[in-house]
Amino acid sequence: MLQDQEAHAAQMERTFIAIKPDGVQRGLISEIIARFERKGFKLVAIKLVTPTKSFAQKHYHDLKERPFFDGLCDFLSSGPVLAMVWEGEGVIKYGRKLIGATDPQKSEPGTIRGDLAVVVGRNIIHGSDGPETAKDEINLWFKPEELTNYTSNQEKWVYGVN
Ligand code: UDP
Ligand code: MG
């Protein structure tokens, strides 16, 4: 059953995904990108940046009362982060599923953190947790002109749009 173009367009979402300094240093960039790419999601923006501590504090502002906040922001700003925007139907929620639970001890095998990380303070990847945070995080990390708009050749096969 083919989906029509409008229904497909209405369900398209974008999410912010970042490989943290531990994931970059451990050589896991291609492994992680491959999982999003093979699923059928589309990469629309990507850059390698070392955030400042104050930028990290902005990114994690929701957690500023938590005891691990300062160490977390020091860590995020300690080296290059691979910042990305991925697009697809349901990508915000499903991206979190691909990533797995926050604590890798509790992440299911088959998830990124379950397969590739061991402790919560070094869980290698970030993903937006909802539509509002996705919008805010994309705006924080990327300028509008850094976001690409293109039709992937795969789209008609991934979604069955006519
Ligand atoms: N974190 C931590 N200790 C904790 C909880 C979280 O170091 O007890 C770190 C961990 O790196 C996590 C990040 O803080 O990824 C953000 O926490 P959040 O609860 O938003 O988890 P996430 O959305 O990344 O799964
Ligand atoms: Mg979070």
Side-chain angles (χ1 to χ4, degrees):
M1 160 87 172
L2 291 179
Q3 243 197 119
D4 82 26
Q5 189 65 45
E6 256 176 59
H8 168 61
Q11 290 182 76
M12 272 320 220
E13 294 177 349
R14 287 180 169 186
T15 193
F16 175 70
I17 300 291
I19 304 180
K20 299 180 192 178
D22 49 344
V24 173
Q25 290 294 342
R26 290 179 53 203
L28 295 173
I29 289 174
S30 58
E31 166 74 38
I32 291 169
I33 288 183
R35 292 180 183 220
F36 279 84
E37 201 175 34
R38 289 193 310 233
K39 169 75 175 167
F41 293 139
K42 182 170 79 179
L43 184 63
V44 296
I46 186 166
K47 63 182 172 188
L48 192 65
V49 284
T50 301
T52 61
K53 185 161 179 187
S54 78
F55 189 93
Q57 287 164 337
K58 271 188 210 148
H59 172 75
Y60 279 129
H61 68 275
D62 283 351
L63 299 171
K64 63 175 179 296
E65 309 301 336
R66 306 295 292 274
F68 56 83
F69 178 70
D70 196 55
L72 176 63
C73 295
D74 274 336
F75 178 62
L76 193 73
S77 57
S78 69
V81 169
L82 192 75
M84 297 177 277
V85 178
W86 285 87
E87 185 180 285
E89 286 193 24
V91 70
I92 301 173
K93 201 163 178 190
Y94 207 90
R96 296 276 295 185
K97 265 193 191 176
L98 288 178
I99 289 171
T102 303
D103 180 354
Q105 296 284 340
K106 296 184 181 139
S107 317
E108 294 298 325
T111 64
I112 291 166
R113 287 169 174 163
D115 289 348
L116 306 170
V118 184
V119 298
V120 70
R122 296 292 183 272
N123 62 3
I124 70 172
I125 182 166
H126 167 85
S128 305
D129 63 9
E132 282 307 307
T133 39
K135 202 155 53 108
D136 292 348
E137 290 171 1
I138 291 168
N139 290 337
L140 176 66
W141 287 80
F142 289 97
K143 300 187 190 104
E145 63 269 27
E146 293 176 315
L147 303 170
T148 59
N149 287 296
Y150 66 104
T151 303
S152 154
N153 207 27
Q154 282 192 22
E155 247 149 288
K156 62 177 184 251
W157 299 103
V158 171
Y159 297 103
V161 280
N162 46 16

mmCIF file of all heavy atoms in Angstrom, residues 20 22 59-60 62-63 66-69 71-73 75-76 96 99-104 113 119-129 137, ligand 1:
data_model
loop_
_atom_site.group_PDB
_atom_site.id
_atom_site.type_symbol
_atom_site.label_atom_id
_atom_site.label_comp_id
_atom_site.label_asym_id
_atom_site.label_seq_id
_atom_site.Cartn_x
_atom_site.Cartn_y
_atom_site.Cartn_z
ATOM 1 N N LYS A 20 29.540 11.792 21.154
ATOM 2 C CA LYS A 20 30.289 12.529 22.169
ATOM 3 C C LYS A 20 31.797 12.242 22.028
ATOM 4 O O LYS A 20 32.192 11.318 21.290
ATOM 5 C CB LYS A 20 29.777 12.122 23.554
ATOM 6 C CG LYS A 20 28.288 12.439 23.786
ATOM 7 C CD LYS A 20 27.876 12.011 25.187
ATOM 8 C CE LYS A 20 26.385 12.018 25.381
ATOM 9 N NZ LYS A 20 25.997 11.543 26.733
ATOM 10 N N ASP A 22 33.947 10.615 23.641
ATOM 11 C CA ASP A 22 34.377 9.216 23.829
ATOM 12 C C ASP A 22 34.096 8.374 22.586
ATOM 13 O O ASP A 22 34.927 7.559 22.178
ATOM 14 C CB ASP A 22 33.752 8.590 25.092
ATOM 15 C CG ASP A 22 32.248 8.784 25.205
ATOM 16 O OD1 ASP A 22 31.687 9.654 24.499
ATOM 17 O OD2 ASP A 22 31.614 8.067 26.005
ATOM 18 N N HIS A 59 23.635 23.331 26.026
ATOM 19 C CA HIS A 59 23.065 22.087 25.478
ATOM 20 C C HIS A 59 22.373 21.265 26.565
ATOM 21 O O HIS A 59 21.295 20.711 26.346
ATOM 22 C CB HIS A 59 24.171 21.266 24.807
ATOM 23 C CG HIS A 59 23.724 19.905 24.399
ATOM 24 N ND1 HIS A 59 22.921 19.676 23.302
ATOM 25 C CD2 HIS A 59 23.932 18.692 24.972
ATOM 26 C CE1 HIS A 59 22.667 18.387 23.209
ATOM 27 N NE2 HIS A 59 23.269 17.758 24.206
ATOM 28 N N TYR A 60 23.000 21.191 27.735
ATOM 29 C CA TYR A 60 22.464 20.359 28.825
ATOM 30 C C TYR A 60 21.734 21.184 29.892
ATOM 31 O O TYR A 60 21.613 20.731 31.027
ATOM 32 C CB TYR A 60 23.598 19.554 29.465
ATOM 33 C CG TYR A 60 23.965 18.291 28.701
ATOM 34 C CD1 TYR A 60 25.286 18.006 28.353
ATOM 35 C CD2 TYR A 60 22.989 17.347 28.367
ATOM 36 C CE1 TYR A 60 25.624 16.832 27.675
ATOM 37 C CE2 TYR A 60 23.317 16.172 27.694
ATOM 38 C CZ TYR A 60 24.619 15.919 27.352
ATOM 39 O OH TYR A 60 24.946 14.751 26.694
ATOM 40 N N ASP A 62 18.819 21.688 30.833
ATOM 41 C CA ASP A 62 17.760 21.010 31.612
ATOM 42 C C ASP A 62 18.310 20.242 32.814
ATOM 43 O O ASP A 62 17.558 19.901 33.722
ATOM 44 C CB ASP A 62 17.012 19.985 30.736
ATOM 45 C CG ASP A 62 16.027 20.651 29.801
ATOM 46 O OD1 ASP A 62 15.802 21.867 29.952
ATOM 47 O OD2 ASP A 62 15.492 19.944 28.923
ATOM 48 N N LEU A 63 19.596 19.944 32.789
ATOM 49 C CA LEU A 63 20.184 19.084 33.828
ATOM 50 C C LEU A 63 21.018 19.884 34.828
ATOM 51 O O LEU A 63 21.751 19.312 35.626
ATOM 52 C CB LEU A 63 21.067 18.000 33.166
ATOM 53 C CG LEU A 63 20.331 17.059 32.210
ATOM 54 C CD1 LEU A 63 21.327 16.186 31.447
ATOM 55 C CD2 LEU A 63 19.339 16.185 32.964
ATOM 56 N N ARG A 66 21.480 18.844 38.421
ATOM 57 C CA ARG A 66 21.922 17.475 38.732
ATOM 58 C C ARG A 66 23.385 17.470 39.170
ATOM 59 O O ARG A 66 24.187 18.286 38.710
ATOM 60 C CB ARG A 66 21.756 16.570 37.499
ATOM 61 C CG ARG A 66 20.349 16.593 36.911
ATOM 62 C CD ARG A 66 19.304 16.016 37.841
ATOM 63 N NE ARG A 66 19.485 14.580 38.014
ATOM 64 C CZ ARG A 66 18.974 13.666 37.175
ATOM 65 N NH1 ARG A 66 18.241 14.039 36.148
ATOM 66 N NH2 ARG A 66 19.174 12.386 37.394
ATOM 67 N N PRO A 67 23.741 16.542 40.067
ATOM 68 C CA PRO A 67 25.115 16.535 40.609
ATOM 69 C C PRO A 67 26.194 16.275 39.546
ATOM 70 O O PRO A 67 27.327 16.719 39.712
ATOM 71 C CB PRO A 67 25.084 15.400 41.647
ATOM 72 C CG PRO A 67 23.864 14.583 41.336
ATOM 73 C CD PRO A 67 22.881 15.512 40.689
ATOM 74 N N PHE A 68 25.817 15.600 38.473
ATOM 75 C CA PHE A 68 26.815 15.265 37.448
ATOM 76 C C PHE A 68 26.946 16.340 36.367
ATOM 77 O O PHE A 68 27.736 16.189 35.435
ATOM 78 C CB PHE A 68 26.477 13.906 36.800
ATOM 79 C CG PHE A 68 25.085 13.844 36.217
ATOM 80 C CD1 PHE A 68 24.810 14.339 34.944
ATOM 81 C CD2 PHE A 68 24.042 13.296 36.958
ATOM 82 C CE1 PHE A 68 23.530 14.295 34.416
ATOM 83 C CE2 PHE A 68 22.742 13.244 36.431
ATOM 84 C CZ PHE A 68 22.496 13.746 35.156
ATOM 85 N N PHE A 69 26.163 17.445 36.508
ATOM 86 C CA PHE A 69 26.102 18.460 35.445
ATOM 87 C C PHE A 69 27.476 19.031 35.082
ATOM 88 O O PHE A 69 27.846 19.100 33.904
ATOM 89 C CB PHE A 69 25.157 19.583 35.866
ATOM 90 C CG PHE A 69 25.045 20.707 34.860
ATOM 91 C CD1 PHE A 69 24.405 20.517 33.647
ATOM 92 C CD2 PHE A 69 25.583 21.964 35.132
ATOM 93 C CE1 PHE A 69 24.294 21.546 32.721
ATOM 94 C CE2 PHE A 69 25.472 22.997 34.208
ATOM 95 C CZ PHE A 69 24.827 22.786 33.004
ATOM 96 N N GLY A 71 30.585 17.899 35.618
ATOM 97 C CA GLY A 71 31.468 16.901 35.003
ATOM 98 C C GLY A 71 31.028 16.558 33.588
ATOM 99 O O GLY A 71 31.853 16.373 32.683
ATOM 100 N N LEU A 72 29.722 16.504 33.399
ATOM 101 C CA LEU A 72 29.161 16.197 32.073
ATOM 102 C C LEU A 72 29.537 17.286 31.070
ATOM 103 O O LEU A 72 29.945 16.988 29.933
ATOM 104 C CB LEU A 72 27.637 16.081 32.214
ATOM 105 C CG LEU A 72 26.814 15.868 30.951
ATOM 106 C CD1 LEU A 72 27.176 14.540 30.282
ATOM 107 C CD2 LEU A 72 25.319 15.900 31.279
ATOM 108 N N CYS A 73 29.430 18.551 31.500
ATOM 109 C CA CYS A 73 29.750 19.663 30.595
ATOM 110 C C CYS A 73 31.256 19.743 30.327
ATOM 111 O O CYS A 73 31.678 20.040 29.202
ATOM 112 C CB CYS A 73 29.199 20.971 31.151
ATOM 113 S SG CYS A 73 27.406 20.957 31.192
ATOM 114 N N PHE A 75 33.152 17.166 30.250
ATOM 115 C CA PHE A 75 33.412 16.059 29.335
ATOM 116 C C PHE A 75 32.991 16.379 27.898
ATOM 117 O O PHE A 75 33.749 16.155 26.949
ATOM 118 C CB PHE A 75 32.718 14.777 29.815
ATOM 119 C CG PHE A 75 32.941 13.644 28.869
ATOM 120 C CD1 PHE A 75 34.226 13.174 28.633
ATOM 121 C CD2 PHE A 75 31.890 13.091 28.161
ATOM 122 C CE1 PHE A 75 34.469 12.153 27.707
ATOM 123 C CE2 PHE A 75 32.129 12.077 27.239
ATOM 124 C CZ PHE A 75 33.411 11.615 27.019
ATOM 125 N N LEU A 76 31.776 16.933 27.736
ATOM 126 C CA LEU A 76 31.293 17.212 26.375
ATOM 127 C C LEU A 76 32.202 18.206 25.659
ATOM 128 O O LEU A 76 32.357 18.154 24.439
ATOM 129 C CB LEU A 76 29.846 17.729 26.388
ATOM 130 C CG LEU A 76 29.167 17.733 25.018
ATOM 131 C CD1 LEU A 76 28.805 16.318 24.567
ATOM 132 C CD2 LEU A 76 27.930 18.616 24.984
ATOM 133 N N ARG A 96 16.031 7.414 19.572
ATOM 134 C CA ARG A 96 16.276 7.085 20.990
ATOM 135 C C ARG A 96 16.292 5.569 21.191
ATOM 136 O O ARG A 96 17.037 5.062 22.032
ATOM 137 C CB ARG A 96 15.198 7.719 21.869
ATOM 138 C CG ARG A 96 15.183 9.229 21.858
ATOM 139 C CD ARG A 96 16.155 9.837 22.825
ATOM 140 N NE ARG A 96 15.828 9.534 24.196
ATOM 141 C CZ ARG A 96 16.485 10.040 25.247
ATOM 142 N NH1 ARG A 96 17.501 10.892 25.053
ATOM 143 N NH2 ARG A 96 16.161 9.719 26.465
ATOM 144 N N ILE A 99 19.559 4.258 20.056
ATOM 145 C CA ILE A 99 20.599 4.638 21.024
ATOM 146 C C ILE A 99 20.558 3.751 22.266
ATOM 147 O O ILE A 99 21.595 3.311 22.766
ATOM 148 C CB ILE A 99 20.434 6.135 21.402
ATOM 149 C CG1 ILE A 99 20.845 7.008 20.215
ATOM 150 C CG2 ILE A 99 21.242 6.472 22.649
ATOM 151 C CD1 ILE A 99 20.517 8.499 20.387
ATOM 152 N N GLY A 100 19.369 3.476 22.781
ATOM 153 C CA GLY A 100 19.237 2.636 23.984
ATOM 154 C C GLY A 100 19.176 3.469 25.250
ATOM 155 O O GLY A 100 19.343 4.695 25.233
ATOM 156 N N ALA A 101 18.953 2.801 26.387
ATOM 157 C CA ALA A 101 18.786 3.475 27.675
ATOM 158 C C ALA A 101 20.028 4.283 28.047
ATOM 159 O O ALA A 101 21.150 3.933 27.653
ATOM 160 C CB ALA A 101 18.486 2.452 28.761
ATOM 161 N N THR A 102 19.802 5.349 28.830
ATOM 162 C CA THR A 102 20.885 6.257 29.232
ATOM 163 C C THR A 102 22.058 5.513 29.879
ATOM 164 O O THR A 102 23.223 5.791 29.568
ATOM 165 C CB THR A 102 20.329 7.307 30.227
ATOM 166 O OG1 THR A 102 19.240 7.987 29.601
ATOM 167 C CG2 THR A 102 21.390 8.304 30.635
ATOM 168 N N ASP A 103 21.734 4.586 30.782
ATOM 169 C CA ASP A 103 22.779 3.799 31.453
ATOM 170 C C ASP A 103 23.070 2.536 30.632
ATOM 171 O O ASP A 103 22.211 1.661 30.521
ATOM 172 C CB ASP A 103 22.275 3.413 32.852
ATOM 173 C CG ASP A 103 23.295 2.581 33.620
ATOM 174 O OD1 ASP A 103 24.336 2.206 33.040
ATOM 175 O OD2 ASP A 103 23.025 2.298 34.803
ATOM 176 N N PRO A 104 24.246 2.451 30.056
ATOM 177 C CA PRO A 104 24.566 1.296 29.196
ATOM 178 C C PRO A 104 24.433 -0.060 29.898
ATOM 179 O O PRO A 104 24.267 -1.084 29.246
ATOM 180 C CB PRO A 104 26.015 1.540 28.770
ATOM 181 C CG PRO A 104 26.198 3.009 28.916
ATOM 182 C CD PRO A 104 25.341 3.415 30.087
ATOM 183 N N ARG A 113 24.224 2.038 22.663
ATOM 184 C CA ARG A 113 24.864 2.020 23.990
ATOM 185 C C ARG A 113 24.984 0.602 24.524
ATOM 186 O O ARG A 113 25.970 0.258 25.193
ATOM 187 C CB ARG A 113 24.076 2.901 24.959
ATOM 188 C CG ARG A 113 24.257 4.397 24.690
ATOM 189 C CD ARG A 113 23.258 5.196 25.494
ATOM 190 N NE ARG A 113 23.455 6.642 25.408
ATOM 191 C CZ ARG A 113 22.527 7.531 25.746
ATOM 192 N NH1 ARG A 113 21.338 7.123 26.177
ATOM 193 N NH2 ARG A 113 22.787 8.821 25.653
ATOM 194 N N VAL A 119 29.490 2.404 30.763
ATOM 195 C CA VAL A 119 29.096 3.220 31.924
ATOM 196 C C VAL A 119 28.361 4.502 31.484
ATOM 197 O O VAL A 119 28.575 5.007 30.378
ATOM 198 C CB VAL A 119 30.314 3.593 32.828
ATOM 199 C CG1 VAL A 119 30.962 2.341 33.404
ATOM 200 C CG2 VAL A 119 31.327 4.457 32.079
ATOM 201 N N VAL A 120 27.520 5.006 32.386
ATOM 202 C CA VAL A 120 26.637 6.133 32.046
ATOM 203 C C VAL A 120 27.410 7.412 31.717
ATOM 204 O O VAL A 120 26.993 8.203 30.860
ATOM 205 C CB VAL A 120 25.582 6.362 33.166
ATOM 206 C CG1 VAL A 120 26.210 6.908 34.439
ATOM 207 C CG2 VAL A 120 24.453 7.263 32.691
ATOM 208 N N GLY A 121 28.552 7.602 32.381
ATOM 209 C CA GLY A 121 29.338 8.816 32.132
ATOM 210 C C GLY A 121 30.115 8.784 30.824
ATOM 211 O O GLY A 121 30.694 9.796 30.409
ATOM 212 N N ARG A 122 30.116 7.634 30.160
ATOM 213 C CA ARG A 122 30.798 7.491 28.864
ATOM 214 C C ARG A 122 29.903 6.674 27.942
ATOM 215 O O ARG A 122 30.256 5.594 27.497
ATOM 216 C CB ARG A 122 32.177 6.811 29.025
ATOM 217 C CG ARG A 122 33.198 7.604 29.850
ATOM 218 C CD ARG A 122 33.663 8.884 29.148
ATOM 219 N NE ARG A 122 34.690 9.612 29.919
ATOM 220 C CZ ARG A 122 34.406 10.521 30.857
ATOM 221 N NH1 ARG A 122 33.173 10.831 31.159
ATOM 222 N NH2 ARG A 122 35.398 11.138 31.501
ATOM 223 N N ASN A 123 28.704 7.251 27.670
ATOM 224 C CA ASN A 123 27.715 6.483 26.889
ATOM 225 C C ASN A 123 27.665 6.880 25.418
ATOM 226 O O ASN A 123 26.703 6.594 24.714
ATOM 227 C CB ASN A 123 26.338 6.525 27.576
ATOM 228 C CG ASN A 123 25.777 7.931 27.669
ATOM 229 O OD1 ASN A 123 26.375 8.885 27.168
ATOM 230 N ND2 ASN A 123 24.619 8.064 28.299
ATOM 231 N N ILE A 124 28.692 7.538 24.945
ATOM 232 C CA ILE A 124 29.094 7.779 23.545
ATOM 233 C C ILE A 124 28.171 8.577 22.615
ATOM 234 O O ILE A 124 28.625 9.035 21.572
ATOM 235 C CB ILE A 124 29.525 6.489 22.800
ATOM 236 C CG1 ILE A 124 28.344 5.541 22.519
ATOM 237 C CG2 ILE A 124 30.640 5.772 23.542
ATOM 238 C CD1 ILE A 124 28.746 4.345 21.602
ATOM 239 N N ILE A 125 26.916 8.697 22.970
ATOM 240 C CA ILE A 125 26.008 9.336 21.998
ATOM 241 C C ILE A 125 24.895 10.096 22.693
ATOM 242 O O ILE A 125 24.458 9.708 23.790
ATOM 243 C CB ILE A 125 25.448 8.283 21.010
ATOM 244 C CG1 ILE A 125 24.535 8.912 19.943
ATOM 245 C CG2 ILE A 125 24.735 7.139 21.739
ATOM 246 C CD1 ILE A 125 24.233 7.979 18.761
ATOM 247 N N HIS A 126 24.454 11.163 22.048
ATOM 248 C CA HIS A 126 23.301 11.951 22.515
ATOM 249 C C HIS A 126 22.225 11.923 21.440
ATOM 250 O O HIS A 126 22.534 11.972 20.251
ATOM 251 C CB HIS A 126 23.723 13.405 22.749
ATOM 252 C CG HIS A 126 22.536 14.308 22.931
ATOM 253 N ND1 HIS A 126 21.919 14.471 24.152
ATOM 254 C CD2 HIS A 126 21.819 15.046 22.039
ATOM 255 C CE1 HIS A 126 20.878 15.285 24.003
ATOM 256 N NE2 HIS A 126 20.803 15.646 22.733
ATOM 257 N N GLY A 127 20.967 11.890 21.854
ATOM 258 C CA GLY A 127 19.851 12.050 20.915
ATOM 259 C C GLY A 127 18.737 12.857 21.561
ATOM 260 O O GLY A 127 18.435 12.658 22.741
ATOM 261 N N SER A 128 18.125 13.757 20.807
ATOM 262 C CA SER A 128 17.027 14.579 21.342
ATOM 263 C C SER A 128 15.919 13.684 21.878
ATOM 264 O O SER A 128 15.599 12.646 21.302
ATOM 265 C CB SER A 128 16.429 15.452 20.237
ATOM 266 O OG SER A 128 17.413 16.236 19.617
ATOM 267 N N ASP A 129 15.287 14.155 22.983
ATOM 268 C CA ASP A 129 14.284 13.294 23.624
ATOM 269 C C ASP A 129 12.843 13.627 23.269
ATOM 270 O O ASP A 129 11.915 13.030 23.812
ATOM 271 C CB ASP A 129 14.492 13.263 25.140
ATOM 272 C CG ASP A 129 14.309 14.635 25.780
ATOM 273 O OD1 ASP A 129 13.866 15.575 25.084
ATOM 274 O OD2 ASP A 129 14.604 14.765 26.978
ATOM 275 N N GLU A 137 17.689 21.916 20.021
ATOM 276 C CA GLU A 137 19.075 21.443 19.874
ATOM 277 C C GLU A 137 19.592 21.634 18.449
ATOM 278 O O GLU A 137 20.759 22.007 18.250
ATOM 279 C CB GLU A 137 19.161 19.974 20.305
ATOM 280 C CG GLU A 137 18.987 19.832 21.829
ATOM 281 C CD GLU A 137 18.835 18.409 22.335
ATOM 282 O OE1 GLU A 137 18.866 17.450 21.537
ATOM 283 O OE2 GLU A 137 18.687 18.239 23.564
HETATM 284 N N1 UDP B 1 24.539 11.237 32.926
HETATM 285 C C1 UDP B 1 25.477 10.922 33.897
HETATM 286 N N2 UDP B 1 25.055 10.384 35.076
HETATM 287 C C2 UDP B 1 23.733 10.135 35.313
HETATM 288 C C3 UDP B 1 22.788 10.449 34.335
HETATM 289 C C4 UDP B 1 23.218 11.006 33.143
HETATM 290 O O1 UDP B 1 26.667 11.119 33.687
HETATM 291 O O2 UDP B 1 23.419 9.621 36.414
HETATM 292 C C5 UDP B 1 24.985 11.812 31.654
HETATM 293 C C6 UDP B 1 24.948 10.789 30.524
HETATM 294 O O3 UDP B 1 26.094 10.986 29.703
HETATM 295 C C7 UDP B 1 23.692 11.164 29.783
HETATM 296 C C8 UDP B 1 23.682 12.684 29.947
HETATM 297 O O4 UDP B 1 24.138 12.877 31.278
HETATM 298 O O5 UDP B 1 23.742 10.752 28.430
HETATM 299 C C9 UDP B 1 22.343 13.339 29.781
HETATM 300 O O6 UDP B 1 21.419 12.728 30.661
HETATM 301 P P1 UDP B 1 19.953 12.381 30.168
HETATM 302 O O7 UDP B 1 19.176 11.976 31.371
HETATM 303 O O8 UDP B 1 19.413 13.473 29.327
HETATM 304 O O9 UDP B 1 20.191 11.045 29.289
HETATM 305 P P2 UDP B 1 20.134 10.803 27.706
HETATM 306 O O10 UDP B 1 19.052 11.684 27.164
HETATM 307 O O11 UDP B 1 21.493 11.125 27.148
HETATM 308 O O12 UDP B 1 19.818 9.342 27.564
#
